[in-house]
Amino acid sequence: MAEREPAEEYLEGYVEILAAVCATRRRLTREEREALGALGERAAEAGIGLRALVRVHLSAAQRVRPGLPRAAAEHLLSAVEQAVDAFAEGHERAQRLAVRQEEAARREFIDDLLQGRSGLGRLAERAERFGLLLSHAHAVAVAQGPEPYSDGYAVTRTVESSLVARFGNRRILLTTKDGRLICVAPADEPEVLAHFAKQAYAATDGGQVAIGRAHPGAGGVVHSYEEALNALALAARMDLTDPVLHAADLLVYPVLTRDRQAMAELVGTVLGPLRQARGGAEPLLDTLTAYFDSGCVTAQAARSLSLSVRAMTYRLDRIHRLTGADPGDPVQRYTLQTAVIGARLLDWPHQPL
C-alpha cells in the first residue's frame, strides 16, 4: 500500500464536493468554500506548501473523473477550479496572518532590545530567533536622512540587499526605529557597520551615520544604540557635517557638559564680553569657530568665512581686546576653544546661560 502524502490529509470532503457540484452543474456554495478555505488555513499552519496541495487536489480529481456520468464530467474542471481557489484563498490568508504575527513579534523584540525592556534572559532567548547572540559584544549604527524611513521602504530594502549580498546570513539585525535605519552587528566584525554606513549614506542621499562603541550583553546593545543617537544629536548642535560619526571620537563632549553649571560659567566669563561688540557676540563667535576648525590657520579660516586675511586678523585682535585672551597664544587658546565648544553645546548666545 502506497504511503499517503502529508498533503492528502487536507482533502477532507473535497471529493464529495466535486461530485455534488458536477452532478448539479452548480457553483460551490458559501459553506463549501468556507470549509475548503479552513482546510487551506490548517495546511498552511502545518507548513504544507501550496504546490504540493494543488498537486494532490488535481490527482484526486483525476481519480474522480472515471466514475462520473459524461455530462457531469464536463463540469469537473470548473468545479476543481472553484475548489482549489477557495482552498488557496484560505492557505494565503493563513500565510498573511503568519507574516503579520512575525512582523509584530520582530517589532516588539526590537523595541524591547533598543529600550532595554524585558528580562535580559528572556531577551537573549528571543534574540536567537532573529539572528543575534547577545552573549557576545555588539555595536550599533544609526543612520538618518532628510526624511523618515520605515521597514519596507526602498531605502531600507536597498541597504538590506547590499548587506545580505556582501555578508550573507551573518548575525546581523537591520531594522528601523523612529524614522532611522539601524544596524546591530557583532563587535568582532567592524566591516559590517562600515559597509552599512557607506550604503546608508548613499541610499539616504547624503544622510549621516553614527556608530556607537561595542558593549557586551543585551544591555550593551542599548548602550551602543544610545551612544549613536547622542552622537547624531551632538552633530546637530555642533554643526558636525562628517558623514560618519564614531561615538568613541566624541567622548570629550559629554565630559565637557557633565557639569553644565561650570561650563555655563566658563562661557559667560570668557565669551560674555563679546556681547559688547557691534553686531553682538555671534559674528566673533563664528570667527573663533572657523579659526579653531582650520587648525588656527588665519588664511584658511578667512576663506571659510569669505573674509580677507586682514579682516580676519582684525576680528581676532578685537576678540583679544574684549576677552583678554589671545587666540594665538597656546595656553590662552585652550581656554578660548573650550569656551567656544561649550557655547555651541549650550546654544549660546541664542539661549541664556
Side-chain angles (χ1 to χ4, degrees):
M1 184 175 178
E3 186 177 350
R4 189 181 185 188
E5 278 195 55
E8 293 180 357
E9 297 178 11
Y10 302 93
L11 294 179
E12 180 183 347
Y14 169 66
V15 171
E16 290 77 6
I17 290 174
L18 290 185
V21 169
C22 290
T24 58
R25 298 188 183 185
R26 61 173 173 81
R27 297 188 62 81
L28 269 68
T29 65
R30 179 179 178 180
E31 290 75 15
E32 289 168 339
R33 289 189 62 87
E34 288 178 349
L36 291 169
L39 286 171
E41 290 181 7
R42 286 170 46 199
E45 291 167 358
I48 308 297
L50 191 56
R51 181 178 177 182
L53 293 163
V54 170
R55 185 178 63 249
V56 297
H57 276 72
L58 295 178
S59 296
Q62 288 178 338
R63 293 193 296 271
V64 169
R65 183 182 178 90
L68 294 175
R70 181 174 181 179
E74 293 177 353
H75 195 65
L76 179 62
L77 182 58
S78 175
V80 170
E81 179 183 3
Q82 295 174 60
V84 171
D85 180 70
F87 188 92
E89 183 180 356
H91 191 279
E92 292 171 356
R93 185 166 56 246
Q95 293 280 40
R96 288 194 298 270
L97 177 60
V99 168
R100 287 197 297 271
Q101 290 174 337
E102 180 70 14
E103 289 175 347
R106 185 174 187 272
R107 175 49 55 189
E108 182 181 8
F109 164 72
I110 289 167
D111 289 342
D112 289 348
L113 178 67
L114 297 180
Q115 294 177 17
R117 297 188 308 214
S118 184
L120 296 184
R122 173 63 180 146
L123 198 60
E125 292 177 6
R126 294 161 64 197
E128 291 190 32
R129 175 182 173 188
F130 299 101
L132 296 181
L133 287 178
L134 295 185
S135 57
H136 298 175
H138 288 80
V140 181
V142 179
Q144 66 181 15
E147 60 185 38
Y149 307 104
S150 185
D151 295 341
Y153 277 42
V155 166
T156 309
R157 292 197 305 270
T158 297
V159 175
E160 183 174 24
S161 297
S162 180
L163 282 172
V164 171
R166 176 75 178 275
F167 301 106
N169 294 322
R170 298 193 194 180
R171 294 185 176 276
I172 302 168
L173 177 65
L174 181 69
T175 185
T176 61
K177 185 171 177 59
D178 298 330
R180 302 182 183 95
L181 298 178
I182 298 167
C183 183
V184 182
D188 59 357
E189 298 190 44
E191 66 277 9
V192 172
L193 295 186
H195 185 75
F196 167 80
K198 180 179 179 181
Q199 297 301 316
Y201 176 76
T204 57
D205 194 22
Q208 197 168 40
V209 183
I211 301 176
R213 293 178 298 163
H215 300 281
V221 173
V222 180
H223 194 175
S224 184
Y225 173 62
E226 290 177 346
E227 286 183 343
L229 289 181
N230 290 337
L232 290 173
L234 179 65
R237 291 201 305 271
M238 299 291 292
D239 294 324
L240 303 178
T241 58
D242 295 355
V244 181
L245 305 165
H246 292 269
D249 298 335
L250 304 175
L251 291 177
V252 66
Y253 296 106
V255 172
L256 291 175
T257 56
R258 192 160 294 162
D259 190 339
R260 190 186 188 285
Q261 182 178 352
M263 179 57 72
E265 290 177 358
L266 175 67
V267 173
T269 301
V270 175
L271 301 179
L274 297 182
R275 291 182 179 275
Q276 303 171 25
R278 182 181 301 176
E282 191 167 0
L284 295 182
L285 186 60
D286 290 343
T287 299
L288 283 172
T289 299
Y291 182 67
F292 293 133
D293 287 348
S294 70
C296 301
V297 178
T298 304
Q300 183 177 334
R303 285 195 298 272
S304 69
L305 294 174
S306 301
L307 296 174
S308 66
V309 174
R310 182 178 180 181
M312 185 70 186
T313 302
Y314 171 80
R315 285 193 180 188
L316 292 174
D317 289 340
R318 181 68 172 150
I319 290 168
H320 187 187
R321 290 195 299 271
L322 288 171
T323 64
D326 182 5
D329 181 87
V331 176
Q332 298 176 26
R333 177 192 306 160
Y334 176 77
T335 301
L336 274 173
Q337 188 167 8
T338 304
V340 168
I341 292 173
R344 294 167 72 179
L345 289 170
L346 300 176
D347 197 21
W348 184 86
H350 301 106
Q351 297 295 329
L353 297 174

